[in-house]
Amino acid sequence: MNHFEYRDGVLHCEGVSLAAIAAAAGTPAYVYSSATLERHYDVFKQALAPRDALVAFAVKANANLAVIATLAARGAGADTVSQGEIQRALRAGVPANRIIFSGVGKTAEELAFALKAGVYQINVESIAEMEMLSAVAASLNAQAPLAIRVNPDVGAGGHEKISTGGGATKFGVSAELALSLYARAHADPHLSPKGLAVHIGSQIRDLAPLEAAFRFMRGLTEKLRSDGLPIERLDLGGGLGVPYFNEPDPPSPAEYAAMINRVMDGLDIKLAFEPGRMIAGNAGVLLSRVIRIQARPRPILVLDAGLNDLIRPAMYEAFHDIKPVRETSAPQAAVDVVGPICETGDIFARNRTLAPLKPGDLAAFMTAGAYGAVMASTYNARELIAEVLVRGDRFEIVRRRWTVEEQMALETIPDWA
Ligand code: LLP
């Protein structure tokens, strides 16, 4: 469910025409719907309502302050993977006690920052990290609230590059090691083990691997308790897929919640979730304009958006539906859709059947609200793409373009160069 639809023949985001946004903000630009963000958060939260779970939006999916603030106003927490993401979550109004700090490469400085901020929990991924956390907490005379991230050896996800739960990835520790680390943390005056965490992949379209991983986590929880170790939280990660148009719909939040309730039935534990894509994916589009058409046996549409603006097709062979902003009944034809970047991989779609588009026309890449703007770069000396947030009949440019002049202002030419 999202709030992008045609009204009087023009694709709208809520009450605003994408043509009007292109005129005001220029292209390429990301456009987000507040109503869709809120709806996705609410549906997820309500499905899990009986458990009063912490729903911590995975900021890596969309780190725009206005997007985080929209969710924070609904009560969302934040799942973060760097000091920068913690700073963004705090600035957007997420209370520190709803912030989870994850990731394999946290530095001592970042751990200290998180402890001083008073985050809800730090998800520890290795022995070495736990030792560093203990030392940092000792130096601050603090007690670090932590969860141990377990690698349940169940891989899942829409692409090999976004599967994290397999035993061979860099994420988490084995169950055996998690149990011994937990006991060690319990005995450490500067560590306060609260629970266990798991996340097995992203764009997961099948509940079975998630259910297997969560049953495994329940088993570990019961084992810790039978060993006399208190555990009050389970962080079950993110990963629920979204429909990208060319594939069957993934399980709904209601089906996901029913599975959680089945697996966790009768277990007294506070749950946390870290959904990213499920909340932001369908809440955003990438708005782009056709620059020209190269006549080949199969026409090539050259857009003003490139892989630097949306890298998912080049990086994960991801499919994004492409819609003309002006609806047309003219016959569709097969085209290739590419960007202006000097890379063969800068291709969004090959042999895609699309409504006819001519130079100057606008097109929208659907389901681009997650892992879109956050992965954008200035490659080929391009401006960093703008972001726009819509609410009802209003919209605002919530990140203006970062111009090449501004980028160059950070650089110097040494006098010996
Ligand atoms: N928690 C942890 C520990 C994660 O590693 C991730 C995503 C999430 C939560 C959020 O997962 P989600 O609910 O969004 O599936 N750039 C890739 C996706 C990378 C996901 C990395 N981890 C893409 O564009 O598909």
Side-chain angles (χ1 to χ4, degrees), residues 345-369:
D346 188 23
I347 172 156
F348 292 116
R350 205 183 294 279
N351 204 5
R352 182 83 62 89
T353 304
L354 286 186
L357 286 162
K358 21 176 226 325
D361 284 354
L362 293 166
F365 288 85
M366 309 307 290
T367 320

Side-chain angles (χ1 to χ4, degrees), residues 192-244:
S192 173
K194 304 284 186 196
L196 298 172
V198 69
H199 172 84
I200 60 172
S202 195
Q203 186 52 15
I204 301 174
R205 283 167 299 210
D206 175 9
L207 287 181
L210 289 166
E211 181 159 355
F214 297 166
R215 282 197 190 282
F216 188 76
M217 298 304 287
R218 177 177 182 148
L220 289 181
T221 305
E222 286 165 343
K223 172 84 176 87
L224 284 173
R225 285 185 177 160
S226 71
D227 290 349
L229 290 165
I231 161 164
E232 63 193 68
R233 304 176 188 168
L234 269 184
D235 176 348
L236 299 180
L240 194 58
V242 301
Y244 279 95

Side-chain angles (χ1 to χ4, degrees), residues 58 60 79 162 199 202 238-239 274-277 312 316 371 375:
K60 68 170 79 65
D79 168 47
I162 54 175
H199 172 84
S202 195
E274 305 170 346
R277 191 189 314 265
R312 305 195 64 259
Y316 317 109
Y371 306 109
M375 296 180 83

Side-chain angles (χ1 to χ4, degrees), residues 81-391:
V81 292
S82 66
Q83 176 172 328
E85 286 191 353
I86 299 176
Q87 288 173 286
R88 285 183 166 273
L90 290 171
R91 178 73 58 86
V94 180
N97 65 7
R98 288 196 201 135
I99 296 179
I100 296 171
F101 190 21
S102 314
V104 297
K106 306 176 201 81
T107 65
E109 291 73 22
E110 288 182 306
L111 290 170
F113 181 89
L115 287 177
K116 285 188 212 148
V119 300
Y120 178 71
Q121 151 184 321
I122 295 174
N123 289 355
V124 168
E125 304 236 7
S126 61
I127 307 180
E129 185 189 343
M130 199 170 94
E131 286 168 354
M132 181 184 272
L133 179 60
S134 173
V136 171
S139 73
L140 296 172
N141 206 12
Q143 221 197 8
L146 67 90
I148 311 278
R149 176 157 175 194
V150 178
N151 189 324
D153 206 0
V154 181
H159 189 274
E160 158 215 344
K161 286 189 187 146
I162 54 175
S163 173
T164 49
T169 76
K170 65 182 176 183
F171 297 103
V173 298
S174 69
E176 208 184 357
L177 186 54
L179 295 176
S180 76
L181 280 181
Y182 203 93
R184 215 170 121 182
H186 187 64
D188 185 324
H190 294 291
L191 298 177
S192 173
K194 304 284 186 196
L196 298 172
V198 69
H199 172 84
I200 60 172
S202 195
Q203 186 52 15
I204 301 174
R205 283 167 299 210
D206 175 9
L207 287 181
L210 289 166
E211 181 159 355
F214 297 166
R215 282 197 190 282
F216 188 76
M217 298 304 287
R218 177 177 182 148
L220 289 181
T221 305
E222 286 165 343
K223 172 84 176 87
L224 284 173
R225 285 185 177 160
S226 71
D227 290 349
L229 290 165
I231 161 164
E232 63 193 68
R233 304 176 188 168
L234 269 184
D235 176 348
L236 299 180
L240 194 58
V242 301
Y244 279 95
F245 186 75
N246 66 336
E247 54 204 6
D249 276 6
S252 68
E255 290 167 302
Y256 179 81
M259 178 273 283
I260 300 288
N261 289 332
R262 196 161 64 231
V263 175
M264 297 297 158
D265 187 41
L267 187 70
D268 179 22
I269 198 103
K270 169 93 176 167
L271 297 180
F273 295 89
E274 305 170 346
R277 191 189 314 265
M278 190 260 137
I279 292 191
N282 275 313
V285 302
L286 167 59
L287 186 57
S288 174
R289 199 179 284 281
V290 179
I291 298 175
R292 69 175 56 84
I293 297 172
Q294 295 181 349
R296 297 282 166 89
R298 186 167 65 224
I300 301 180
L301 258 62
V302 185
L303 304 185
D304 65 0
L307 62 73
N308 69 303
D309 301 306
L310 177 66
I311 204 169
R312 305 195 64 259
M315 193 154 171
Y316 317 109
E317 287 98 41
F319 179 102
H320 285 268
D321 188 19
I322 302 171
K323 287 189 172 166
V325 166
R326 285 188 200 282
E327 211 174 15
T328 161
S329 53
Q332 302 193 330
V335 293
D336 288 353
V337 182
V338 307
I341 301 297
C342 289
E343 294 247 3
T344 314
D346 188 23
I347 172 156
F348 292 116
R350 205 183 294 279
N351 204 5
R352 182 83 62 89
T353 304
L354 286 186
L357 286 162
K358 21 176 226 325
D361 284 354
L362 293 166
F365 288 85
M366 309 307 290
T367 320
Y371 306 109
V374 280
M375 296 180 83
S377 76
T378 59
Y379 185 39
N380 277 200
R382 287 164 53 87
E383 297 182 330
L384 188 65
I385 190 164
E387 295 173 273
V388 174
L389 182 67
V390 174
R391 174 177 292 281

